[in-house]
Amino acid sequence: MSRKYLFFLPGAVLILIVIVLVTAFPVLNSSPSRSATTVRSFTVESGEGVSHVAHRLKEEGLIRSETFFKLICRLSRLQFSLQKGNYLIEGRLSSTAILSMMTSGKQVTVSVVIPEGYTVRQIADVLYTGKIIADRDRFIEAVHAFSLEKYGVNHTGAEGFLFPDTYVFQYNMFYNDIISVMTDNFFKKADEAGLTIDNHFYEKVILASVVEKEYRVEDEAPVIASVFLNRLKKKMRLESCATVLYVITEILGKPHPNQLFYSDLEIDSPFNTYRNAGLPPAPVSNPGMVALKAAFYPAETDYLFFVVRGDGSGRHTFTKDFYTHNYYKRHN
């Protein structure tokens, strides 16, 4: 073969490869699925490389060729730009479209509402139902292990600081990311409301978590806070049913009872304020702004007792002595 032909051979091979690629591109780029209604969830883990992602996409039947997927990543110089998160991949979605989705970070999101007064276990149930978390117990463990030091609060455990609100989360988010979003929101709202972080900040949040579970009418929340503070000053036990319910549902893991019995008030737990003086050792709910403001800015009263009225209004009768309190307990 003459040198002239040897000189042109690499160019011819290159042209041939280009022709093959151009011809095969529509096929290799197309989805193996024929159903336009098929939707699959796919998660890219933090730090996961293109090769591993391509392999899993092929294994799950979402692309035709992992080699082709890696090739278009390299040609587009996007092999280091895959964003971690969860993606919904629709049927007939091409490899280039999947790549575009994963590099843009266009992930699946879901909106959830966290009501005021929910405990961490109840919040875990909401997140689990919304498919935001895959394991309730691991989320609860993460909440209890979460440090508040970055906010200037020297405590570990985010119960009480998961601010009740409407959130937009991604599917399969990291637990600490979810907790950070909710605690960031708590401290943002607290700052806006002028709730100063001082040496008694944590205790005030604990008080707010109790008030949250006791008040039913907004204007009574500061009065209920004053009752608990007055009892604390007189070294009286708080005797809050909310703390007993917390022991039953959150610590013992039992269903929420329809009513409390005297035997429930004797449960041995540091959270049981019928047996122990002072505040419980940690928040018993995640309070909203009404309860928080009540704990930080309580009413000034001499009340030591309150009992809910029997008229269905949700209001309470407040009294200063045990005798009068017992009277209203019998006649409400």
Side-chain angles (χ1 to χ4, degrees):
M1 183 180 294
S2 70
R3 291 184 179 181
K4 181 174 67 173
Y5 292 114
L6 287 174
F7 177 78
F8 286 107
L9 184 59
V13 171
L14 181 60
I15 293 171
L16 180 62
I17 291 172
V18 171
I19 292 172
V20 170
L21 285 176
V22 170
T23 305
F25 184 90
V27 176
L28 294 174
N29 190 43
S30 65
S31 169
S33 172
R34 293 189 175 184
S35 173
T37 58
T38 300
V39 179
R40 297 280 297 279
S41 175
F42 186 89
T43 300
V44 177
E45 303 294 345
S46 180
E48 190 174 13
V50 167
S51 294
H52 195 251
V53 170
H55 179 70
R56 292 198 298 113
L57 286 169
K58 179 66 172 66
E59 277 194 332
E60 296 187 27
L62 296 171
I63 59 174
R64 289 189 180 276
S65 169
E66 60 183 280
T67 301
F68 177 77
F69 188 84
K70 290 188 288 185
L71 179 62
I72 59 174
C73 281
R74 290 189 174 92
L75 290 175
S76 57
R77 298 182 180 180
L78 294 173
Q79 62 264 39
F80 303 114
S81 302
L82 298 187
Q83 303 294 312
K84 71 177 180 70
N86 189 269
Y87 301 88
L88 280 187
I89 300 178
E90 300 176 1
R92 297 186 183 177
L93 206 59
S94 67
S95 291
T96 51
I98 293 172
L99 177 61
S100 176
M101 179 187 295
M102 292 180 175
T103 54
S104 68
K106 188 178 180 181
Q107 301 171 31
V108 181
T109 59
V110 60
S111 177
V112 293
V113 177
I114 306 299
E116 295 176 344
Y118 262 33
T119 63
V120 63
R121 191 173 297 278
Q122 290 173 308
I123 292 173
D125 287 339
V126 172
L127 297 177
Y128 180 81
T129 302
K131 297 181 180 179
I132 297 164
I133 61 172
D135 191 311
R136 295 180 181 92
D137 291 336
R138 285 182 59 195
F139 175 78
I140 293 170
E141 289 172 5
V143 170
H144 291 313
F146 190 85
S147 173
L148 299 172
E149 286 188 8
K150 69 177 181 179
Y151 303 107
V153 180
N154 188 27
H155 284 277
T156 296
E159 176 99 74
F161 297 85
L162 305 177
F163 194 77
D165 210 338
T166 300
Y167 294 94
V168 177
F169 290 127
Q170 299 164 5
Y171 288 116
N172 295 324
M173 278 183 71
F174 291 108
Y175 299 139
N176 276 0
D177 290 346
I178 297 170
I179 298 166
S180 290
V181 168
M182 300 182 77
T183 52
D184 285 351
N185 192 25
F186 176 96
F187 285 97
K188 176 178 177 290
K189 300 287 188 184
D191 182 63
E192 291 172 350
L195 309 185
T196 305
I197 297 177
D198 55 22
N199 293 334
H200 300 290
F201 186 84
Y202 190 70
E203 288 75 15
K204 291 174 184 176
V205 174
I206 294 175
L207 175 59
S209 76
V210 178
V211 173
E212 179 65 62
K213 303 298 284 186
E214 295 281 5
Y215 91 88
R216 302 185 186 183
V217 180
E218 184 174 328
D219 63 18
E220 288 189 352
V223 183
I224 291 174
S226 76
V227 171
F228 288 134
L229 288 170
N230 290 339
R231 293 178 72 90
L232 289 172
K233 290 175 186 176
K234 291 181 175 290
K235 308 297 182 185
M236 299 171 66
R237 291 190 294 270
L238 294 188
E239 296 186 351
S240 166
C241 294
T243 64
V244 179
L245 289 171
Y246 181 86
V247 174
I248 292 172
T249 60
E250 301 303 303
I251 298 176
L252 301 180
K254 295 181 179 180
H256 194 290
N258 293 325
Q259 66 180 86
L260 290 177
F261 298 95
Y262 285 111
S263 58
D264 295 322
L265 308 185
E266 294 300 319
I267 297 174
D268 186 14
S269 168
F271 282 87
N272 184 353
T273 57
Y274 275 87
R275 285 178 59 94
N276 302 284
L279 292 165
V284 296
S285 76
N286 291 276
M289 193 49 67
V290 170
L292 285 165
K293 286 182 177 179
F296 279 76
Y297 307 109
E300 292 186 10
T301 75
D302 295 325
Y303 297 134
L304 292 171
F305 304 91
F306 60 89
V307 61
V308 68
R309 298 176 186 174
D311 58 4
S313 67
R315 303 192 74 86
H316 295 80
T317 298
F318 296 89
T319 53
K320 301 177 183 179
D321 62 84
F322 187 67
Y323 176 82
T324 310
H325 173 65
N326 269 344
Y327 172 83
Y328 282 110
K329 279 182 70 176
R330 292 191 302 268
H331 295 87
N332 256 339

